[in-house]
Amino acid sequence: MAGHSKWKNIQRRKNAQDAKRGKIFMKHAKDIYLAAKQGGGDPDMNASLRLVVEKAKADNMPNDNIDRAIKKATGDLDGANFEELTYEGYGPGGTAVMVEVLTDNKNRTASELRHAFSKNGGNLGENGCVAFMFDRKGYFVIDRETTDADEDTVMLEAIEAGAEEMETVEGAYEIYADPEDFQNVKKTMEESGFTFETSEITMIPQTMSAVDEEAGNKMVKLVQMLEDMEDVQEVHHNIEADEAIMEQL
């Protein structure tokens, strides 16, 4: 993962969250619904549900919204049936793009995604066309201002907790783990006094795809269009561009 840092992207994304709060709550509600549907409505007994509830609360999602999503999944309230899907495609300049969705209408979602890709110089591909270019990883960020521990101490704690590797970037420590070890790493390090700026299971690109300004601007429009879709939960890509482009992403 050397050379690839999500930290700046996370900071930029957080700056824009207030303008999208309603949409963020909707996406959290879908995540909570799916986790509760698959593993039950008790966060103490369902690690996946506990994780998505923690993420929702970190974004100040009201408890009533969280409880409503759980009750829909467990049948205590009427609601739509959602399905979790991943679409793959190529963005401008041959960049790899993976889109995670939660939808109650696959035909509608596929049509909207196909339109977004074609409108912005890309194309929606078949399953597996770019997935091999990404690794699914547990990903943690510790803001260096929130801990007195030095780099060696944090790395030792992370490895002992089950992490695979750690990278030190500007202002933060980035920690990577196997998804199966995610909960153990999170729990162990939190018990040791560490606070995570973010903790999630995500897709990390194996290599980055450099693009010129024209392709970069098209990629910005594609990602923004995808993220504005109600069914889209996450957009992953491997674009590498100048700072102005990355700021917009």
Side-chain angles (χ1 to χ4, degrees):
M1 267 74 75
H4 173 66
S5 170
K6 293 182 58 171
W7 177 237
K8 286 188 176 181
N9 290 340
I10 289 172
Q11 291 175 310
R12 294 164 185 145
R13 187 166 67 239
K14 285 188 175 182
N15 290 336
Q17 281 185 345
D18 287 343
K20 300 180 179 180
R21 187 163 301 276
K23 189 165 294 182
I24 289 170
F25 287 172
M26 176 66 74
K27 291 186 177 183
H28 281 314
K30 288 183 177 180
D31 278 340
I32 292 167
Y33 172 93
L34 184 65
K37 190 82 171 177
Q38 293 178 339
D42 184 355
D44 292 333
M45 303 297 292
N46 183 343
S48 295
L49 177 60
R50 185 166 62 251
L51 175 61
V52 293
V53 167
E54 288 175 356
K55 291 176 69 175
K57 288 183 175 180
D59 281 334
N60 299 314
M61 184 173 179
N63 288 331
D64 286 348
N65 296 39
I66 294 172
D67 292 340
R68 191 178 304 114
I70 293 175
K71 288 178 179 179
K72 281 185 179 180
T74 56
D76 294 329
L77 288 176
D78 292 333
N81 291 314
F82 292 99
E83 186 175 3
E84 186 178 34
L85 300 167
T86 299
Y87 291 87
E88 304 173 38
Y90 298 96
T95 50
V97 183
M98 295 187 68
V99 186
E100 296 181 14
V101 307
L102 200 58
T103 179
D104 59 350
N105 187 325
K106 291 191 294 185
N107 292 335
R108 178 197 67 220
T109 301
S111 176
E112 291 177 351
L113 291 175
R114 190 172 295 108
H115 172 69
F117 273 89
S118 62
K119 184 176 180 179
N120 295 287
N123 62 282
L124 197 61
E126 299 294 330
N127 287 341
C129 67
V130 300
F132 67 94
M133 302 170 67
F134 294 81
D135 293 317
R136 192 166 186 82
K137 293 289 182 182
Y139 175 72
F140 307 87
V141 172
I142 297 175
D143 187 333
R144 294 171 68 177
E145 293 185 358
T146 66
T147 179
D148 294 329
D150 60 22
E151 179 179 0
D152 290 340
T153 300
V154 177
M155 180 176 291
L156 181 60
E157 290 279 357
I159 298 302
E160 289 183 346
E164 294 178 337
E165 67 173 294
M166 187 189 87
E167 293 181 11
T168 302
V169 298
E170 182 180 354
Y173 300 114
E174 292 184 314
I175 298 168
Y176 300 88
D178 187 285
E180 293 185 359
D181 296 324
F182 178 86
Q183 289 293 341
N184 186 63
V185 173
K186 186 174 188 296
K187 179 181 177 181
T188 301
M189 294 197 70
E190 286 179 339
E191 288 176 347
S192 296
F194 293 99
T195 300
F196 294 114
E197 182 70 16
T198 191
S199 58
E200 62 184 5
I201 296 176
T202 188
M203 303 299 292
I204 304 294
Q206 297 172 358
T207 58
M208 305 304 291
S209 179
V211 298
D212 59 22
E213 183 177 1
E214 180 181 0
N217 286 325
K218 289 182 179 179
M219 187 67 174
V220 168
K221 293 178 181 178
L222 171 60
V223 171
Q224 291 177 344
M225 191 170 179
L226 292 172
E227 289 184 340
D228 281 342
M229 294 180 184
E230 183 177 317
D231 294 337
V232 172
Q233 298 296 100
E234 297 285 348
V235 179
H236 310 284
H237 57 78
N238 69 341
I239 183 175
E240 184 174 63
D242 63 34
E243 185 65 16
I245 298 297
M246 299 308 291
E247 283 283 355
Q248 295 181 70
L249 284 172

